[in-house]
Amino acid sequence: MAGVRIQHPIQRNVRFTVSDPNIPMNPPYQCTPPEFGGCGQVHLFKTHHLNLDETGSVIVGDVLYEKIKGYLFAFGFVETNAVANPPTMGIGLGPRSQGGQWGNIPIIRAEGD
Amino acid sequence: MANSFFNSFLNGILGSHATRVDLDADTIKMYLHDSGAGGTPTAATNDFYNDLSAGLVGTAYTLAAKTIGTAGVGVFDNTTDPAPAFSSVSGATVEALVFFKDTGTPATSDLICFFDTATGLPLTPNGGDVNVTFNASGIFKV
């Protein structure tokens, strides 16, 4: 088993965040801005972002699922089925915002520079 | 936070200590970082991989198609986007992608830079593969 599909009874097409109060982030984590797909919030505790689809479902890796399922159940999630071959995910080092949004950091994030 | 080089890497380029990282010749790796377990990457204070290694999720990926100066002056790049870079990732939620020089010994493996702001981050693993798409202009420029 590689992944576990879970489903929320009500929420649909939303990003659902579940924080673990036992894992403080030191220093706090500034989440990726919404324009890059993050939530843009500052997280004081370890936070898991669950992008629920139109059926309220999302696939979570089995190891992570075992760690956080207590929180998931508390929020109403139910386990629906195991997923042997979850879809590929991606990280993209995208365009850099001009104008110093990222400070004086010379890491390329855009076409040209 | 924001994407950043580690200060020790930049200072090494400027000669504050013997240059420790040869991006062309050394083994350069990237890995998925769990800031909850390994601490949030901090440019000012983290210098070697052992400062952050507790946050390793899965297995680090070795950049196998490195270029320097090809994509632009002072630009470090990898000509192929690894797919997958990380196979069957099922550990903790990932907050950052960290680049470092791997000497085989964490205490001597220089940290280079980290990305904590990128499409797909933070990443909640689903147990499947994770691809990394580098920017067409390169990974970073000094």
Side-chain angles (χ1 to χ4, degrees), chain B residues 39-110:
Chain B
T40 300
T42 305
T45 56
N46 298 145
D47 50 5
F48 293 104
Y49 176 55
N50 63 332
D51 292 335
L52 298 173
S53 58
L56 171 67
V57 176
T59 303
Y61 175 85
T62 302
L63 299 181
K66 299 174 292 178
T67 66
I68 296 175
T70 303
V73 176
V75 173
F76 175 70
D77 194 17
N78 197 67
T79 55
T80 57
D81 292 333
F86 309 102
S87 299
S88 303
V89 179
S90 188
T93 288
V94 171
E95 281 84 18
L97 184 66
V98 178
F99 288 74
F100 68 104
K101 164 189 171 180
D102 186 16
T103 64
T105 303
T108 62
S109 295
D110 288 88

Side-chain angles (χ1 to χ4, degrees), chain B:
Chain B
M1 304 302 285
N3 301 336
S4 179
F5 289 110
F6 291 97
N7 289 3
S8 61
F9 171 70
L10 291 179
N11 289 336
I13 293 174
L14 296 176
S16 69
H17 49 72
T19 302
R20 295 184 297 216
V21 180
D22 183 334
L23 291 168
D24 198 27
D26 291 336
T27 299
I28 307 300
K29 293 186 176 183
M30 64 179 181
Y31 78 96
L32 301 173
H33 181 76
D34 167 17
S35 295
T40 300
T42 305
T45 56
N46 298 145
D47 50 5
F48 293 104
Y49 176 55
N50 63 332
D51 292 335
L52 298 173
S53 58
L56 171 67
V57 176
T59 303
Y61 175 85
T62 302
L63 299 181
K66 299 174 292 178
T67 66
I68 296 175
T70 303
V73 176
V75 173
F76 175 70
D77 194 17
N78 197 67
T79 55
T80 57
D81 292 333
F86 309 102
S87 299
S88 303
V89 179
S90 188
T93 288
V94 171
E95 281 84 18
L97 184 66
V98 178
F99 288 74
F100 68 104
K101 164 189 171 180
D102 186 16
T103 64
T105 303
T108 62
S109 295
D110 288 88
L111 294 168
I112 298 171
C113 66
F114 66 91
F115 293 83
D116 63 1
T117 301
T119 304
L121 290 177
L123 181 141
T124 302
N126 65 5
D129 296 341
V130 176
N131 295 343
V132 174
T133 303
F134 299 125
N135 190 273
S137 297
I139 299 173
F140 62 72
K141 178 181 181 181
V142 294

